[in-house]
Amino acid sequence: MRHFFSVIANEVVADGPTFEVHDPATGRVHALAHEATPAIVDRAVEAARAALRGPWGRMPATARLTLLRRIADAIDARFDDLVATEVHDTGMLAGFARRVAIPRGAESFRVFADLAQSLMNECFETPTPEGAGALNYTLRRPAGVVAAICPWNLPLLMLTWKVAPALAMGNTVVVKPSEETPGTATLLAELMAQAGLPPGVFNVVHGGGAGSTGAALASHPGVDAITFTGECATGRAIRAAAAPSLNALCCELGGKNPALVFADADLDAAVAGCARSTFANTGQVCLCTERIYVERPLFTRFVAALTRAARALKAGDPFAPDTTLGPVISADQRARVLEYYRQAQLDGAEVLTGGGIPELPEPWRGGSFIEPTLWTGLSTDSRCLQDEVFGPVAHIAPFDGEEEAIALANESRYGLAATVWSRDGARTMRVAASLEVGTVWCNGWLIRDLRAPFAGMKQSGVGREGGRHALEFFSRVRNVCIQL
Ligand code: NAD
């Protein structure tokens, strides 16, 4: 049985009670993780504080960024282990881990190393009454000790979106991975030490959220900034916990993302795109589509084609190359998603496909697999059209004209992402400008350029990740004024 220990100052912490980590594909326990008690969280924060005063704090930026590139190389060198660990922790398809989750994690360190190198400061020539003038210029300094609280859906990738820019700007970090998926963060700590990161710069503490390790970290007075990705309710709790210290806080939260398919869209591309955006990672990407609106002339053909695509998905062994649908993260999450499947029927949905649990042989029978599901016919006040389900499910409804499409898409308390499918370039730009979301993809999905901003509007988040926005969050700006 594998053990995932917390790591403080490049040393494993063998004490603390253990908790079980389940493989979602079989339901079996595949590892034990060691919980970080509040005393262990204290030690992690102290180690991170001490590292700011040590060699890391004095290291020239170029040396620091060379270390970041070395971390990326170390991820590449340990690729297969990271893929296997991620697949056993999350149930994600090995192909998805190989193509997206792990390589993009390595890429984060390279991209943020490059971006930090070219981050510009500001400079102003300021007139003064006596005429000699003054020069104002800015410097960037690390925020300090950063707490990174991470979700289970893309454990390594989401973590690197926080840790790479934080390290690039010279911070030290205490990471709290999800209790469902402690594996790859633990491996990363090992790789960081091998790459030569000084002790205390990257620390990992394992454990739960409320009343546990996560809460202890979020309210810790020794933390200077908090970056969180997860559910809205957790974001609220963390915001409340961070309020007394007035810490900087970035929250990337949930979504109820719409897809708008116009009658002039390339039908095959729109169907393939929506199948991917609805069912990728079993619907457990925060950017997944859960509401699809199709212009009426295309509606019937689109529904038939997407239903065929959903029925063609094959659940089973996440490592098998012909498997196209993995399990959801846990039995509890499956029960939650099934509750929405039941609610949709109570609310009068027509179930186009799915709605239940697939029949699978052992050992997958014990896994948390669930059928990919499509609904139509729900009214907008159904909970199923308002809440983020975070499973392999979407509702499809017709619309008439651009104005109605935009109104329907914006009818949500969330504002994370949207997709627009149309051959009319001017229309895609017009619609994109009117959607109340942080990211719009036109005729595509999940093309992520790490230099671009990434943020939610409305209840999907506070703060921004990506590009210089992340570098700015993880640093403090100082203005220096020289009287000439
Ligand atoms: P979650 O909120 O349940 O947990 C996320 C992390 O917060 C975990 O590490 C958990 O232990 C910790 N936590 C929980 N309660 C806490 C508390 N009171 N104090 C401190 N820490 C606490 O989220 P999840 O279920 O792991 O992830 C799924 C959610 O994440 C979905 O809503 C999804 O949309 C969202 N998500 C958003 C983005 C984005 O970038 N916007 C990306 C990925 C996932």
Side-chain angles (χ1 to χ4, degrees), residues 42 100 144 155 166 212 277 285 373 418 431 457 470 478:
D42 283 347
V100 179
S212 178
S277 71
V285 178
T373 296
V431 173
M457 292 174 75
R478 176 179 303 152

Side-chain angles (χ1 to χ4, degrees), residues 150 152 176 179 214 228-231 234 252-254 286 388 454:
C150 304
W152 47 256
K176 212 295 281 174
E179 57 274 40
F228 166 71
T229 296
E231 287 182 8
T234 313
E252 297 296 345
L253 308 174
C286 56
E388 178 188 52
F454 181 81

Side-chain angles (χ1 to χ4, degrees), residues 127-475:
T128 52
E130 80 288 356
L135 200 60
N136 278 285
Y137 65 91
T138 56
L139 298 173
R140 292 217 159 256
R141 293 293 174 258
V145 174
V146 172
I149 302 178
C150 304
W152 47 256
N153 64 330
L154 290 160
L156 184 78
L157 185 57
M158 293 295 106
L159 180 159
T160 65
W161 284 12
K162 302 175 180 311
V163 171
L167 296 186
M169 296 311 285
N171 299 277
T172 58
V173 184
V174 180
V175 170
K176 212 295 281 174
S178 168
E179 57 274 40
E180 311 274 6
T181 56
T184 46
T186 315
L187 287 186
L188 186 63
E190 208 181 294
L191 299 179
M192 296 262 192
Q194 281 166 12
L197 212 66
V201 175
F202 179 79
N203 309 277
V204 177
V205 290
H206 290 304
S212 178
T213 316
L217 185 59
S219 59
H220 202 290
V223 163
D224 299 302
I226 302 176
T227 168
F228 166 71
T229 296
E231 287 182 8
C232 292
T234 313
R236 276 187 211 103
I238 291 179
R239 204 168 177 179
S245 59
L246 296 173
N247 271 335
L249 176 64
C250 178
C251 286
E252 297 296 345
L253 308 174
K256 186 73 179 174
N257 309 309
L260 301 179
V261 183
F262 286 89
D264 63 5
D266 174 335
L267 178 63
D268 292 343
V271 169
C274 289
R276 213 161 69 80
S277 71
T278 302
F279 301 120
N281 207 30
T282 319
Q284 301 167 118
V285 178
C286 56
L287 304 159
C288 273
T289 302
E290 293 198 8
R291 298 180 293 144
I292 304 174
Y293 300 104
V294 186
E295 205 163 17
R296 204 171 298 275
L298 205 61
F299 184 73
T300 309
R301 279 194 295 152
F302 181 92
V303 165
L306 191 64
T307 304
R308 271 197 304 279
R311 289 192 181 137
L313 292 169
K314 182 173 180 283
D317 179 1
F319 286 98
D322 63 338
T323 302
T324 46
L325 194 76
V328 292
I329 187 69
S330 63
D332 282 355
Q333 178 65 4
R334 179 169 73 177
R336 205 184 140 268
V337 177
L338 280 173
E339 192 46 47
Y340 280 102
Y341 285 10
R342 270 188 286 275
Q343 185 65 44
Q345 296 205 31
L346 292 176
D347 291 352
E350 180 190 339
V351 181
L352 296 164
T353 185
I357 294 175
E359 277 295 322
L360 291 171
E362 286 299 344
W364 323 116
R365 192 192 298 270
S368 44
F369 290 90
I370 189 165
E371 285 178 342
T373 296
L374 293 171
W375 305 312
T376 188
L378 284 173
S379 71
T380 50
D381 59 358
S382 166
R383 224 158 43 80
C384 303
L385 272 183
Q386 294 175 353
D387 299 354
E388 178 188 52
V389 178
F390 222 52
V393 59
H395 178 263
I396 320 178
F399 69 83
D400 296 296
E402 219 170 283
E403 214 171 296
E404 192 190 7
I406 292 166
L408 286 167
N410 287 341
E411 205 170 281
S412 172
R413 63 180 184 275
Y414 293 104
L416 191 57
T419 53
V420 180
W421 298 88
S422 166
R423 284 193 177 101
D424 179 342
R427 164 180 278 157
T428 57
M429 285 191 261
R430 237 180 2 251
V431 173
S434 304
L435 293 173
E436 296 162 356
V437 295
T439 299
V440 182
W441 278 290
C442 301
N443 299 316
W445 181 70
L446 210 61
I447 303 157
R448 177 85 187 97
D449 187 325
L450 283 175
R451 295 169 299 180
F454 181 81
M457 292 174 75
K458 300 178 178 171
Q459 293 195 13
S460 290
V462 186
R464 267 169 273 171
E465 291 190 335
R468 69 176 172 80
H469 304 279
L471 299 178
E472 284 169 5
F473 175 76
F474 290 115
S475 57

